[in-house]
Amino acid sequence: MFDMLLSPFLQYGFMQRALFGSLVLSVSCAPVGVFLMLRRMSLTGDAMAHAILPGAALGFVFFGLDIIPMTIGGLLVGLLVALGSGVVARFTIQKEDASMAAFYLISLAVGVLLVSWRGSSVDLMHVLFGSVLALNDAALALIVSIALVTFVVLLIFWRALVAECLDPLFLRSVSRIGAPVHFLFLILVVLNLVGGFQALGTLLSVGLMMLPAAASRFWSNEVRAMCLIAISIAVVSSIGGLLLSYHAAMPSGPAIILTAGVIYAFSALAGRRGMLASALTSGRHKTA
């Protein structure tokens, strides 16, 4: 048992780096995912994850697999897409979900074409699915920096974020910070997706953000508790996924997300607010 659980992380430096990066991402992304879920913007997070691809691809075209240009490009384009879809939704008859879908589909197509034009299929797979086992010092520094920014913003604006999430009309009626807090939150989403992109690629980066958050909903109804549960699930998913990828020779990113998916399925079935609990409660009501 010791060899199975601890030996990979004690023997190999790349596993230690992968574990550190995944754990920091777990602690940073999971609370953001909870707020996305409560805002009913889960698919928006997925769309924004795809939207960073053209910026990262432009950095790749001109500088290769250099983390700084790809990160800056992904961040700028992600914010541009979020802002552009919001402007279209605000000044036209189109809803935000439709405009976001249009922007993300265009972004995904442009990004894949750019990477395919300059690089090989291996480069395309790296950009789309990441490589958590190949995190370098620059990538780890970026992930830690994004986590610190996330912690500071959540600490300072926690009450405003919760209020804007649960009752945005009330917040706007009593304060003028509603719109700035919403935009600040979108920046947090893009930042964490850019951090996740380094390890999990553009297609899977949203998985570590949304699956633990969605699973936490089956265990609690309180925002702070859901954030803590989501972090715990993300941490377990990261450790379990890395061990699964090591012992079963699986790609590490998909293994982490698959582990989170298994925990989500278990939570949906056996959680305090899951299907079994609902069935038992309804059965008691019928008996009574």
Side-chain angles (χ1 to χ4, degrees), residues 19-199:
L19 178 63
F20 177 74
S22 300
L23 293 182
V24 174
L25 277 175
S26 298
V27 177
S28 179
C29 289
V32 177
V34 170
F35 283 104
L36 267 177
M37 176 190 63
L38 293 177
R39 290 166 177 259
R40 299 182 180 179
M41 294 173 60
S42 300
L43 292 179
T44 300
D46 183 52
M48 292 174 68
H50 293 74
I52 68 175
L53 181 57
L58 282 174
F60 169 76
V61 166
F62 291 105
F63 300 96
L65 292 172
D66 190 329
I67 185 174
I68 296 179
M70 292 179 69
T71 298
I72 294 174
L75 180 61
L76 292 177
V77 174
L79 292 174
L80 182 63
V81 167
L83 180 62
S85 63
V87 169
V88 170
R90 184 178 180 86
F91 295 103
T92 70
I93 62 172
Q94 194 165 67
K95 300 296 184 181
E96 189 171 8
D97 60 338
S99 62
M100 179 65 75
F103 273 83
Y104 114 74
L105 288 170
I106 295 169
S107 299
L108 181 61
V110 171
V112 171
L113 286 175
L114 285 172
V115 177
S116 301
W117 171 55
R118 171 65 187 270
S120 64
S121 60
V122 175
D123 295 323
L124 180 61
M125 293 293 287
H126 177 84
V127 172
L128 292 178
F129 297 103
S131 182
V132 68
L133 296 180
L135 291 175
N136 55 26
D137 290 340
L140 290 176
L142 173 69
I143 292 171
V144 171
S145 300
I146 290 173
L148 290 174
V149 171
T150 301
F151 295 153
V152 171
V153 171
L154 290 178
L155 182 64
I156 296 175
F157 295 98
W158 176 265
R159 292 173 62 88
L161 284 168
V162 172
E164 207 273 334
C165 172
L166 299 179
D167 196 346
L169 294 179
F170 171 76
L171 181 63
R172 292 172 188 174
S173 67
V174 300
S175 175
R176 295 182 179 180
I177 66 172
V181 166
H182 181 71
F183 185 69
L184 180 63
F185 175 71
L186 290 178
I187 293 176
L188 274 188
V189 173
V190 174
L191 278 174
N192 279 274
L193 289 173
V194 169
F197 158 76
Q198 309 301 328

Side-chain angles (χ1 to χ4, degrees), residues 244-277:
L244 182 63
S245 71
Y246 177 82
H247 292 295
M250 294 174 59
S252 53
I256 292 173
I257 304 305
L258 180 61
T259 305
V262 171
I263 298 175
Y264 170 82
F266 172 79
S267 300
L269 181 65
R272 290 176 55 193
R273 301 164 57 85
M275 289 184 284
L276 289 179

Side-chain angles (χ1 to χ4, degrees), residues 195-210:
F197 158 76
Q198 309 301 328
L200 301 171
T202 57
L203 294 186
L204 294 177
S205 59
V206 73
L208 200 59
M209 182 180 291
M210 293 313 309

